[in-house]
Amino acid sequence: MIHPPEPARADPDALLRAAAREARGRLKLFLGAAPGVGKTYEMLSEGAARLREGEDVVVGVVETHGRRETEALTRPFEIIPRRVSEHHGRPLSEMDIDAILARAPQLVLVDELAHSNAPGSRHPKRWQDVEELLAAGIDVYSTINIQHVESLNDVVASFTRVRVRETVPDHVLEQAEIEIVDIPPDELIERLKDGKVYVPEEASRALSHFFSKSNLSALRELALRRAAQAVDAQMLDHLRAHALGGTFAGGDRVLVAVSERPEAEALVRAAKRLADALRAPWTAIHVETGRSSGFGAAERERLARTLALAAQLGGGTASVPATDVVSGLAGYARDYRATQLVLGKSSRSWWFELRHGSVVDRIVRSAEGVAVHVLPIAGQAGAGLAARRTWREGLEARPFLWSLAMVAATVASAVGLRQLLDLNNVAMLFLLPVLAAAGRFGLRPGLFAGLVSALAYNFFLLPPLYTLSISNPENVIAFFVLLIVAVVTSQLAARMRAQAELANRSARQNAALAGFAQRIADAANPDELAQAICGEIARLFNVNAMLFMPSPAGAALVAAVPTGHEPDQLDLAAANWTLEKGKPAGRGSDTLTASDWLFQPIAKGDRTLAALAVAHVDPDGAAIRSDELPLLLSLAHQSALAMDRMQLAEAMRELDVVRSRDRLRAALLSSVGHDLRTPLTTIHSAIGELGQSALAPTDAAIVDALDGEVERLDRFVGNLLDMARAQAGAITLAIEPIDLTDAVASAVHAVRKTLDGHDILLDIPPELPMVRADPQLLHHVLINLLDNAGRYAHPGTPLRIGARRGPDGLSLAIRDEGPGLPEGKETAVFETFTRFDGSDRARGGTGLGLAIARDFAAAMEVDIRAERCADPQGARFTLSWPDRLVVRIDPEALA
């Protein structure tokens, strides 16, 4: 029987998404295959068009990269000033989201959506800033390259050999209007050679690596296909929200129907090949009907393997409850807007098809606008065996005995009422056991009750009594009518029972999801959350559960139900695999199947937060039934959201503590520094006056010592003030070419008293080029490094200062001979207030000098590092200028 399609109704989820979009700003993305295709130019051009139409358009951030054409396009717009922050002494500017929200324009232009914000920003990524602007009702234009799309990151890296770290989640693209900005690869390469994308040195490197013609062609295809997918998804959402029918086959969508049969895996592989040939998305669907509840363990296991294979091959999976396969499959195909449907058809006997009909034929007749691919499948022996076993399982004695007992009770009642009621009315009583048996036990007991009821009615009530013969022709008609009505009634009752079971199953799943969400939302800390996840999953599925979290030593067990379980080495190996790869492992998967536990990843985006392990209470039972797997995955997704939310809340609390501590420390440094500077100036002046007067040799030595100590204390105070400046972001740069010989000589003179007793071995070649730096900051850096070397070197040992020109830049090293640095502390020595006991870093000092040197060097984009030295033992501190900060001398100018 072919059911007519139900009237089209709007999808509630699609309506909710549409309503949510109405309250948000509109996002338009200018998507390109690679840098240089003109995304920023196109964004500014369209923004200017809206500005000319009278709309309020501002620039949030636009990266011109020094291109005059792009800078000219920004002039008509109001440009929101960027927010400047300090990081390791280096000023960093970012889009000021608070200023834009306060300004509240109609449209804001935000370049480079995949950009990572500076540390300390409200959001780590620029796309999260854009989300906040959209939520405030502000329209946004932005740009992105295809290699920055999260789902394509691995694909791009596979052929470009370049993996970008800044990515944007796919859901951002799915909610945006996308405009492709495209130029042919040859034209882009010419633009690169002409210096319109990068400076000449960078352009030559890019041409030999990322910007090859083959790479650009592949990136171009990816961009076009990803845009087509986004448009297709938005079209489907619109169709569902407005209850529009039809497939609207702008792009193909493949659907494959799978069952518990062993041959279903062949259907999945065929659908994968078809989808690849059409370059279309595809989904494997299993329709759950009343017969699904009668599946044995082997059928459930085969179905789970089939769906897992589909997911492994890159397809989607779905399990849909329905009264019959045809209506369920047709309904999902309409909602999915499938254009290609893959079915399997096995050879059936004419008697089987006469009784049950052909599912394939019914699908073909009911499918409108869908190409149906029918694949013949073999394995009839196995199918017959499965069918016979299903019949044997359906012939359990208890339901038939109950049906027989109900018929017997009905016979007793009918015999008693025979004298009071008409015989035809008495026949209606025999429908009661039929309805009860079919509704309680299913179709087969219902049919059995119908047949027995008809025979009992004939034997006990139709004359001649107690025989199976019928004397009155009218009673013959009544007998067969009763039999037919009993059969039809049993079928209807059985169908209603199946529908009720499906509805109850769906209601239980919804209640389980709601209860689980409520339970984990009540958790106050990560430990309670982990225990709640394990406890609820163990209760809902009647399994044992464990939860593993990543740790420096590998997978760490954080919760278990029941408690007290200790995982063995195989369990830990499976947990580590799941945490590292983000894929299932253990029993029922394709990896480490010897484990008794099934490990499922709890992941948020591309981060695996935890590994959930489940095992049946019976060691011989399956870890999880195939029909329960979708619910388990839904619970895992909810768990990931809860864990991610708790981690973000914890990170925000820690960040608030750090910010408060930094504010207090900066205020203390500034206050102490300024309060000490005035008396130190007075003391220094008084000592100077004493030094000019006639003093005895002993008194002159004391005054000289006092003067040296005051100078050292003055440097400490200067360090305090410098640290306060660095943390307050008050450093301003005045970059100019500097001769390192002069810079080193000036710094040595400034700390001459600290270096007293140490020979200075200077090795700076006279032909060494100058470097670009801030003279004042570089002076402070050198003073702190020399002061550190002079105080911690062994008395009488020389200090070596050398500079070298290398292929990647220029370096200046200061080496002392002392106890050296503790092993493994070469980076920690630059942290604020760091002093190491038992090393040359523990002799006096405030622990600020090297921290200030690091911050000032970072502000000038100069690398600073510390090293342990041997033969002779000591420490070496090296400043490294990149090649772009080395002043190049033009030989023709010298000539």
Side-chain angles (χ1 to χ4, degrees):
M1 177 180 180
I2 300 177
H3 300 277
E6 297 181 359
R9 292 179 294 179
D11 187 336
D13 292 334
L15 285 174
L16 289 175
R17 288 192 293 269
R21 284 194 295 269
E22 290 298 323
R24 290 168 56 88
R26 302 300 178 106
L27 174 63
K28 182 172 183 178
L29 291 180
F30 295 86
L31 175 65
V37 297
K39 302 180 300 300
T40 304
Y41 185 94
E42 188 68 22
M43 177 184 72
L44 291 171
S45 299
E46 292 206 14
R50 290 186 60 172
L51 185 65
R52 288 192 296 270
E53 292 172 0
E55 297 189 37
D56 185 11
V57 184
V58 302
V59 169
V61 58
V62 168
E63 305 293 351
T64 63
H65 300 292
R67 293 191 288 266
R68 289 190 297 272
E69 301 89 342
T70 307
E71 290 175 356
L73 287 174
T74 63
R75 290 172 189 154
F77 300 98
E78 175 188 348
I79 300 177
I80 304 297
R82 300 192 190 188
R83 176 182 54 83
V84 180
S85 62
E86 190 79 16
H87 181 62
H88 293 315
R90 180 181 178 183
L92 301 174
S93 62
E94 295 292 353
M95 182 176 69
D96 194 340
I97 185 173
D98 291 318
I100 296 174
L101 291 172
R103 173 68 172 73
Q106 289 177 280
L107 171 64
V108 59
L109 309 182
V110 180
D111 206 5
E112 296 186 2
L113 186 65
H115 172 77
S116 294
N117 291 330
S121 301
R122 179 152 71 224
H123 302 297
K125 299 290 186 180
R126 185 171 288 171
W127 65 264
Q128 294 172 315
D129 293 339
V130 168
E131 287 281 317
E132 187 170 346
L133 295 175
L134 294 172
I138 300 173
D139 292 350
V140 177
Y141 282 0
S142 189
T143 64
I144 185 174
N145 289 324
I146 192 63
Q147 65 264 32
H148 295 291
V149 179
E150 177 62 43
S151 63
L152 299 176
N153 186 260
D154 292 341
V155 178
V156 173
S158 67
F159 61 84
T160 63
R161 302 296 186 268
V162 176
R163 182 182 293 273
V164 296
R165 296 183 179 179
E166 296 176 326
T167 59
V168 175
D170 288 60
H171 70 79
V172 177
L173 276 74
E174 291 166 1
Q175 67 181 359
E177 176 188 350
I178 294 180
E179 178 176 326
I180 289 289
V181 182
D182 183 45
I183 62 175
D186 291 334
E187 185 176 339
L188 179 55
I189 291 173
E190 288 300 320
R191 285 174 53 84
L192 196 68
K193 291 178 179 178
D194 293 341
K196 296 180 179 179
V197 181
Y198 295 124
V199 295
E201 293 82 359
E202 295 178 353
S204 61
R205 287 195 297 269
L207 281 170
S208 61
H209 295 87
F210 188 86
F211 281 80
S212 66
K213 185 173 182 179
S214 58
N215 284 350
L216 293 177
S217 299
L219 290 170
R220 190 184 186 197
E221 182 180 2
L222 281 177
L224 294 171
R225 291 192 178 281
R226 188 61 185 83
Q229 290 176 8
V231 171
D232 188 62
Q234 292 167 5
M235 178 197 66
L236 292 180
D237 214 39
H238 177 80
L239 295 178
R240 290 163 181 158
H242 294 80
L244 300 176
T247 58
F248 287 81
D252 283 297
R253 289 173 288 277
V254 179
L255 192 64
V256 54
V258 299
S259 67
E260 78 287 358
R261 297 278 301 276
E263 300 81 12
E265 292 187 1
L267 293 179
V268 168
R269 293 187 178 93
K272 165 65 174 173
R273 293 192 296 271
L274 176 62
D276 287 346
L278 298 173
R279 298 189 176 183
W282 63 287
T283 297
I285 176 177
H286 168 64
V287 180
E288 295 183 19
T289 61
R291 65 182 288 272
S292 301
S293 59
F295 285 171
E299 283 88 353
R300 296 183 186 279
E301 184 68 22
R302 281 197 299 268
L303 180 59
R305 284 201 305 268
T306 302
L307 294 176
L309 176 64
Q312 181 181 352
L313 294 178
T317 59
S319 186
V320 180
T323 56
D324 61 86
V325 174
V326 175
S327 60
L329 193 55
Y332 189 85
R334 285 194 301 271
D335 295 338
Y336 185 65
R337 261 61 178 195
T339 60
Q340 310 282 333
L341 180 59
V342 179
L343 300 173
K345 180 175 177 61
S346 56
S347 300
R348 304 285 193 180
S349 65
W350 66 271
W351 172 243
F352 181 92
E353 295 202 358
L354 180 64
R355 289 182 294 125
H356 301 283
S358 171
V359 172
V360 172
D361 292 342
R362 292 159 61 193
I363 289 286
V364 171
R365 288 196 296 270
S366 62
E368 297 180 1
V370 180
V372 181
H373 303 259
V374 181
L375 279 68
I377 56 177
Q380 293 308 303
L385 180 60
R388 288 193 296 273
R389 188 167 58 80
T390 302
W391 270 101
R392 287 198 301 270
E393 291 175 353
L395 295 177
E396 184 183 350
R398 180 172 169 272
F400 295 95
L401 292 176
W402 273 104
S403 301
L404 189 61
M406 287 187 288
V407 172
T410 303
V411 168
S413 301
V415 170
L417 296 173
R418 181 175 52 186
Q419 305 300 327
L420 303 176
L421 299 176
D422 181 75
L423 191 60
N424 293 330
N425 293 331
V426 171
M428 301 297 293
L429 294 176
F430 286 90
L431 296 179
L432 296 177
V434 176
L435 290 172
R440 179 68 179 84
F441 303 112
L443 178 60
R444 295 187 187 96
L447 292 175
F448 173 77
L451 179 60
V452 173
S453 295
L455 294 175
Y457 175 69
N458 180 14
F459 190 82
F460 290 102
L461 296 176
L462 293 180
L465 298 178
Y466 311 119
T467 67
L468 293 179
S469 60
I470 303 175
S471 59
N472 190 342
E474 294 182 358
N475 291 337
V476 174
I477 297 175
F479 170 79
F480 282 105
V481 168
L482 176 61
L483 181 60
I484 294 171
V485 170
V487 170
V488 173
T489 302
S490 65
Q491 289 180 332
L492 293 176
R495 184 175 298 173
M496 292 178 61
R497 176 176 179 266
Q499 291 177 347
E501 287 181 350
L502 291 174
N504 288 336
R505 187 186 310 168
S506 178
R508 287 195 300 269
Q509 288 190 358
N510 292 334
L513 287 170
F516 183 80
Q518 180 62 40
R519 179 70 181 86
I520 63 177
D522 293 338
N525 54 63
D527 292 336
E528 286 188 14
L529 177 61
Q531 196 62 37
I533 291 172
C534 285
E536 287 297 296
I537 287 178
R539 180 182 64 83
L540 291 172
F541 297 98
N542 190 29
V543 295
N544 299 330
M546 297 188 296
L547 192 70
F548 293 86
M549 298 279 288
S551 72
L557 180 64
V558 295
V561 175
T563 58
H565 179 79
E566 290 295 332
D568 56 26
Q569 291 299 319
L570 183 59
D571 297 336
L572 291 175
N576 280 312
W577 168 270
T578 298
L579 290 173
E580 291 173 7
K581 304 296 183 181
K583 297 179 180 179
R587 190 168 188 174
S589 70
D590 296 328
T591 306
L592 299 173
T593 56
S595 175
D596 292 332
W597 298 77
L598 171 63
F599 292 80
Q600 282 288 343
I602 296 179
K604 179 68 169 62
D606 59 346
R607 295 186 302 126
T608 303
L609 306 177
L612 174 66
V614 293
H616 200 276
V617 292
D618 180 8
D620 297 328
I624 200 80
R625 296 203 318 262
S626 62
D627 58 330
E628 295 175 334
L629 187 58
L631 177 59
L632 179 65
L633 296 179
S634 298
L635 298 181
H637 179 66
Q638 284 195 3
S639 302
L641 294 176
M643 295 176 73
D644 185 58
R645 185 170 58 249
M646 188 163 288
Q647 289 181 2
L648 288 175
E650 184 67 22
M652 289 301 298
R653 286 193 294 269
E654 293 177 357
L655 183 60
D656 289 340
V657 172
V658 171
R659 286 174 175 171
S660 300
R661 184 180 64 196
D662 286 345
R663 283 195 297 268
L664 289 173
R665 185 169 62 184
L668 177 63
L669 290 175
S670 180
S671 176
V672 171
H674 285 289
D675 289 344
L676 288 177
R677 178 54 60 85
T678 301
L680 279 175
T681 303
T682 304
I683 294 171
H684 190 67
S685 299
I687 290 174
E689 293 178 2
L690 283 175
Q692 294 176 0
S693 61
L695 295 173
T698 305
D699 295 335
I702 293 175
V703 169
D704 202 34
L706 286 174
D707 189 49
E709 291 302 311
V710 168
E711 283 189 7
R712 190 164 70 90
L713 186 58
D714 189 59
R715 281 197 301 274
F716 287 163
V717 173
N719 283 339
L720 290 174
L721 295 176
D722 288 341
M723 181 60 67
R725 287 172 55 212
Q727 294 183 347
I731 297 178
T732 56
L733 297 176
I735 302 297
E736 61 183 59
I738 295 176
D739 189 317
L740 286 180
T741 302
D742 296 340
V744 169
S746 176
V748 169
H749 178 73
V751 292
R752 60 190 181 282
K753 293 185 178 180
T754 304
L755 302 180
D756 190 27
H758 298 281
D759 292 333
I760 306 299
L761 304 181
L762 194 62
D763 182 18
I764 301 179
E767 70 277 6
L768 199 70
M770 292 190 291
V771 296
R772 298 187 184 278
D774 183 291
Q776 185 177 0
L777 294 188
L778 180 59
H779 185 69
H780 278 284
V781 171
L782 293 175
I783 283 177
N784 284 326
L785 293 179
L786 289 169
D787 179 72
N788 178 82
R791 284 188 291 113
Y792 299 130
H794 294 316
T797 57
L799 299 182
R800 293 177 172 83
I801 306 174
R804 291 289 181 271
R805 179 75 162 95
D808 298 325
L810 187 148
S811 62
L812 175 70
I814 299 174
R815 190 196 191 293
D816 64 55
E817 296 181 13
L821 296 168
E823 187 173 0
K825 301 296 184 180
E826 291 84 354
T827 302
V829 73
F830 292 106
E831 297 300 324
T832 307
F833 301 119
T834 297
R835 297 168 64 194
F836 301 126
D837 294 335
S839 74
D840 68 342
R841 307 304 116 190
R843 301 181 185 177
T846 60
L848 288 176
L850 294 180
I852 293 170
R854 175 204 60 190
D855 291 344
F856 283 4
M860 298 183 292
E861 300 184 24
V862 176
D863 180 61
I864 184 171
R865 66 182 185 275
E867 301 171 89
R868 289 166 48 88
C869 296
D871 194 26
Q873 185 177 2
R876 178 190 294 113
F877 292 86
T878 304
L879 296 170
S880 299
W881 281 263
D883 190 61
R884 57 188 173 82
L885 295 181
V886 177
V887 178
R888 293 178 175 82
I889 301 175
D890 188 357
E892 296 182 359
L894 293 178

